[in-house]
Amino acid sequence: DKIKYYNIIYNQLLSIRENIFLIQVGSFETLKKMYRYLDILEDVDQNYLIAVVEDQLNEENSKYLREKLKNSALIEVKNKGMDIGIFIASLLFLRDHNLKYKYLVKIHTKTDDQFREHVCDNLIGSKQCIRDNFSKMDNDPSIGMLNGTLIFNIHNNRSFFHNHMRYLHELSQ
């Protein structure tokens, strides 16, 4: 078992932007249903961290992501802890690489098609939607992250890491 918290498949974050999109992939088949949203993200000049659970990646999938989202990193994580495990491992990658962003937008491959479409439409459904969401965060300094179900500011909260490192360690066992 080679994964402790995450394995870096590639890191092509060559130009650090102001914001990052975190794309959590529990199922690559579900991500394929979201390709039209990746087409929108491809035209947004930000950074992308793609976190994929183990056994979901192959050379073709990795190549597709590398070519689609240019300024990105791809990590592989253990499939433990449901959504929170992959999220904490992703935040750890950001911290380990001293990557600090103004805002984080979290997208997830939820299996419920209707819920996933609703979330993606409202987070990344168009370039204008993305601009509007960044504007909302600009107008409310208590918001540092948007995702499908919550709006909160944990990615800028250093205590989040300290409080959850024990949990991350347990998830990696």
Side-chain angles (χ1 to χ4, degrees), residues 3-44:
I3 300 176
K4 175 65 175 171
Y5 299 125
Y6 58 83
N7 285 333
I8 300 171
I9 305 304
Y10 68 76
N11 184 351
Q12 58 186 28
L13 290 171
L14 305 176
S15 178
I16 303 304
R17 302 292 190 236
E18 186 173 46
N19 306 301
I20 191 161
F21 291 87
L22 168 58
I23 303 167
Q24 289 187 199
V25 181
S27 162
F28 213 92
E29 287 306 309
T30 304
L31 182 66
K32 288 178 180 179
K33 296 178 183 180
M34 300 168 63
Y35 275 4
R36 69 184 175 97
Y37 296 107
L38 297 185
D39 291 341
I40 296 165
L41 288 178
E42 180 180 27
D43 293 331
V44 177

Side-chain angles (χ1 to χ4, degrees), residues 27-73:
S27 162
F28 213 92
E29 287 306 309
T30 304
L31 182 66
K32 288 178 180 179
K33 296 178 183 180
M34 300 168 63
Y35 275 4
R36 69 184 175 97
Y37 296 107
L38 297 185
D39 291 341
I40 296 165
L41 288 178
E42 180 180 27
D43 293 331
V44 177
D45 188 25
Q46 298 296 329
N47 290 154
Y48 309 93
L49 174 58
I50 307 135
V52 181
V53 298
E54 58 193 335
D55 302 324
Q56 288 296 308
L57 275 178
N58 59 39
E59 193 61 40
E60 178 185 342
N61 296 344
S62 179
K63 181 179 181 210
Y64 171 82
L65 292 170
R66 181 188 298 258
E67 292 174 358
K68 176 59 77 176
L69 298 174
K70 299 288 187 219
N71 209 9
S72 64

Side-chain angles (χ1 to χ4, degrees), residues 94-111:
L94 295 177
R95 188 184 77 169
D96 287 350
H97 293 84
N98 200 30
L99 297 169
K100 298 176 182 173
Y101 293 95
K102 184 174 181 181
Y103 302 126
L104 186 148
V105 178
K106 180 178 161 275
I107 297 108
H108 193 296
T109 57
K110 291 292 190 188
T111 54

